[in-house]
Amino acid sequence: MDPNNPPQGECRQCWFHAHASNIAHAGLAWNEDCQACLSHVSGCPDNMIVR
């Protein structure tokens, strides 16, 4: 899977963070939460969903 090319219906940010987490979360401590991921807990912005 290409972390930079999410399929239709997926959020670009969530897809990248899920499939390239070692890159996306490189600056975080072992049990530290990613603020970008937490910002999508309630849902992803419509403009970030691949159509």
Side-chain angles (χ1 to χ4, degrees):
M1 281 183 244
D2 180 0
N4 294 309
N5 191 20
Q8 282 188 303
E10 295 291 336
C11 171
R12 295 177 189 282
Q13 177 180 301
C14 291
W15 184 263
F16 180 78
H17 280 240
H19 297 283
S21 61
N22 58 332
I23 296 167
H25 301 138
L28 298 177
W30 174 73
N31 204 17
E32 187 176 357
D33 291 327
C34 173
Q35 293 303 310
C37 289
L38 290 175
S39 72
H40 286 210
V41 170
S42 297
C44 301
D46 191 54
N47 66 330
M48 295 187 91
I49 305 298
V50 177
R51 304 285 175 210

